[in-house]
Amino acid sequence: MKENQLKNASLYAPKTADGLFRGRILSGVGGLYTVLPDGNDAGETVACRAKGAFRHAGETPMCGDFVRCSRGENDDAPSRIEEIVDRRVGLIRPPAANIDYLLVTIA
């Protein structure tokens, strides 16, 4: 993933009246989440960190979650996940959310 993609991707995201943009978490490693903004046809992603209130509430963002994010204060600061929206289903291992289909194979 190119660093300039992470900086420019939030420009493509449609923002709501409160300045947040909506997206879906693609991956999460070490507290840094990769979010694909809605309406982004170029496939560029945004690097985000979770808001501290999630940790205090015992909630963790998972891959597949729909989230609302705020943009970082400057180009070097990552965006921040402000809210988890509409989690229908969550798996504990592997951590994943909003799964529509699951295929189990046995060999």
Side-chain angles (χ1 to χ4, degrees), residues 36-59:
L36 179 66
D38 286 353
N40 184 353
D41 296 331
E44 295 179 347
T45 57
V46 179
C48 296
R49 294 215 177 265
K51 190 166 84 166
F54 293 126
R55 188 172 55 249
H56 297 302
E59 191 173 4

Side-chain angles (χ1 to χ4, degrees), residues 6-22:
L6 297 176
K7 291 180 183 177
N8 296 330
S10 59
L11 299 174
Y12 297 106
K15 292 190 169 62
T16 58
D18 55 3
L20 302 178
F21 65 90
R22 187 180 161 115

Side-chain angles (χ1 to χ4, degrees), residues 20-35:
L20 302 178
F21 65 90
R22 187 180 161 115
R24 188 170 197 166
I25 297 177
L26 298 180
S27 68
V29 177
L32 188 64
Y33 298 91
T34 304
V35 175

Side-chain angles (χ1 to χ4, degrees), residues 53-72:
F54 293 126
R55 188 172 55 249
H56 297 302
E59 191 173 4
T60 302
M62 292 192 259
C63 293
D65 272 334
F66 292 102
V67 293
R68 292 181 44 179
C69 304
S70 63
R71 188 169 179 200

